[in-house]
Amino acid sequence: MTAEDNRNTGKDRAALDFGTKLLHFGSEIDKTTGASSVPIYQASTFHHHDIFNPPVHDYSRSGNPTRQALEDYIALLEGGVQGFAYASGMAAISSSFMMLSAGDHIIVTEDVYGGTYRLLTTILSRMNIETTFVDMTDLDQVKSAYQSNTKAVYMETPSNPTLKITDIAAVTAWAKEHGLITFLDNTFMTPYYQRPLELGVDIVLHSATKFLGGHSDVLAGLAVARTEELAKELKRLQNGLGTVLGAQESWLLMRGMKTLEARMVHSEKSTARLAEWLSQRSDITAVYYPGLASHPGRDIHERQSSGYGAVVSFDVGSGKRAKQVLNKVRLPIVAVSLGAVESILSYPTMMSHAAMPPEVRKERGITDGLLRFSVGLEGIEDLIEDLDQALSE
Ligand SMILES: Cc1ncc(COP(=O)(O)O)c(C=O)c1O
């Protein structure tokens, strides 16, 4: 046996520790040159050496070796049969929704990401795909939204930005009884903390722009299918719609993903400290973090996830005060997005959820005083000191 064969023998990658999988995902060494990272195949098409034996990849929209390495990587991490990489999180979500047809109905978590809300209410609605938004912390609301044309359930847990928790196994079990497809946006938790396919979800989705990429330098989306049948459908849609991720971005994303565990562990520890600090302040009217003992969804979250993540939302009481904080902070970047090495402070009302009508935002607890803090890798005491000065009049 050659040394190379030896490296590839006896490895049940699925059984490896998550941290090991992040580094040893199958394509970590280039088979041809031994290069220590996946080559960037910057090619749109592939020569047919022999017309009777076409190459594995023939055109980069249908398949590209760099993208393929990433797609296999995310499938391994999520525990699914096949992964798919897209130009953005919204490209992953919109391509997956194309599994539905005109006349279908979908049940969606009410505090879904603003862009998903916009897609459902302003684009898919024109295609006669109907949506009912429900508070998914309440299974009865999910059940009562069922119609004869319901085809799918779309979950996001913890939700954005109020971090509400959906009981994934309960919703999925009910959906299965009715033959519904289940989707789950796993952006906030990542497969490091939560693997929805293991709880029966059919398709897991990511804005990989966030924690997976981790460095605020790549826009990407990922999907993973639980079964071969679903994978076949997603493949057909990805190729047919052409919503694919480019080779450069695929490489950059893999580069970021290798440190996912280290980043999540550090940021989560800091977030827990920040959430406690915020909840002890009398001038903060609400703190949303599933790791807090007071969080109403904490028990369910602990059953389905191995951590609480690195996003905390909090209400400073008014829009005026929120704007003051946004203009006074010195360390976090004030921006749309989350899940990066640097902390990011967002203002959902004017950023991620601006697409939601004000009255809908209000109903969903997305008040003018709500801020969302995505905790990065800075020293937490520095972040707290900075936030303290920004909160002071
Ligand atoms: C939870 C969630 N899902 C999906 C998206 C959309 O992803 P992208 O911006 O990569 O298209 C975002 C972006 O903020 C998000 O936060």
Side-chain angles (χ1 to χ4, degrees), residues 40-170:
I40 301 173
Y41 286 92
Q42 191 63 50
S44 60
T45 194
F46 300 83
H47 176 60
H48 291 56
H49 286 292
D50 171 1
I51 200 67
F52 298 107
N53 285 303
V56 177
H57 300 292
D58 70 351
Y59 188 61
S60 275
R61 172 162 43 74
S62 318
N64 172 285
T66 315
R67 192 174 84 232
Q68 179 78 55
L70 166 65
E71 292 178 331
D72 294 345
Y73 190 8
I74 191 64
L76 175 74
L77 299 182
E78 286 286 7
V81 301
Q82 201 173 339
F84 301 90
Y86 303 86
S88 68
M90 285 319 301
I93 294 167
S94 56
S95 299
S96 302
F97 277 153
M98 288 298 120
M99 292 177 90
L100 303 171
S101 304
D104 288 351
H105 169 250
I106 176 164
I107 303 170
V108 179
T109 190
E110 67 175 5
D111 45 358
V112 70
Y113 166 64
T116 310
Y117 179 87
R118 175 170 44 214
L119 168 69
L120 289 159
T121 56
T122 67
I123 302 173
L124 296 182
S125 55
R126 282 198 280 110
M127 293 161 191
N128 200 19
I129 292 173
E130 197 190 340
T131 306
T132 302
F133 295 98
V134 298
D135 176 356
M136 271 201 198
T137 60
D138 178 1
L139 186 59
D140 287 338
Q141 283 201 28
V142 182
K143 290 180 180 172
S144 48
Y146 182 77
Q147 302 178 177
S148 57
N149 59 340
T150 305
K151 291 285 158 43
V153 180
Y154 186 93
M155 294 168 260
E156 200 180 300
T157 179
S159 65
N160 181 13
T162 49
L163 297 128
K164 284 191 189 165
I165 305 301
T166 294
D167 185 335
I168 304 172

Side-chain angles (χ1 to χ4, degrees), residues 88-91 93 113 116 156 160 185 187-188 207 209-210 219-220 338:
S88 68
M90 285 319 301
I93 294 167
Y113 166 64
T116 310
E156 200 180 300
N160 181 13
D185 182 333
T187 299
F188 273 42
S207 169
T209 313
K210 311 291 157 34
L219 197 67
L338 57 107

Side-chain angles (χ1 to χ4, degrees), residues 191-331:
Y192 177 60
Y193 285 134
Q194 182 168 280
R195 287 184 290 283
L197 302 182
E198 291 172 4
L199 299 167
V201 167
D202 291 320
I203 293 171
V204 62
L205 295 155
H206 286 280
S207 169
T209 313
K210 311 291 157 34
F211 292 103
L212 290 170
H215 293 72
S216 301
D217 55 10
V218 61
L219 197 67
L222 295 169
V224 183
R226 189 175 56 79
T227 67
E228 299 288 353
E229 199 188 341
L230 292 162
K232 214 167 143 191
E233 181 62 5
L234 281 187
K235 177 78 198 170
R236 199 166 67 84
L237 289 166
Q238 186 199 37
N239 189 33
L241 294 164
T243 41
V244 294
L245 189 67
Q248 303 273 349
E249 280 85 356
S250 295
W251 182 88
L252 201 48
L253 186 51
M254 285 188 275
R255 149 93 175 220
M257 284 163 69
K258 290 179 184 178
T259 54
L260 178 69
E261 177 170 354
R263 288 184 284 108
M264 292 310 281
V265 168
H266 181 112
S267 290
E268 185 189 56
K269 195 164 162 236
S270 299
T271 314
R273 163 92 180 97
L274 178 61
E276 286 295 342
W277 180 81
L278 284 164
S279 40
Q280 277 158 22
R281 289 185 68 114
S282 56
D283 59 344
I284 300 294
T285 59
V287 183
Y288 305 98
Y289 183 59
L292 287 174
S294 58
H295 192 290
R298 184 170 150 138
D299 289 348
I300 294 170
H301 184 76
E302 286 180 344
R303 281 210 303 272
Q304 61 197 19
S305 314
S306 57
Y308 309 107
V311 177
V312 57
S313 295
F314 55 99
D315 200 321
V316 296
S318 71
K320 183 167 172 265
R321 188 150 187 250
K323 286 175 193 140
Q324 171 206 306
V325 173
L326 290 159
N327 275 349
K328 277 185 79 182
V329 284
R330 297 179 184 130
L331 290 177

Side-chain angles (χ1 to χ4, degrees), residues 344-359:
I344 303 178
L345 186 62
S346 295
Y347 189 34
T349 297
M350 287 176 69
M351 297 178 180
S352 55
H353 291 69
M356 240 177 221
E359 63 281 5

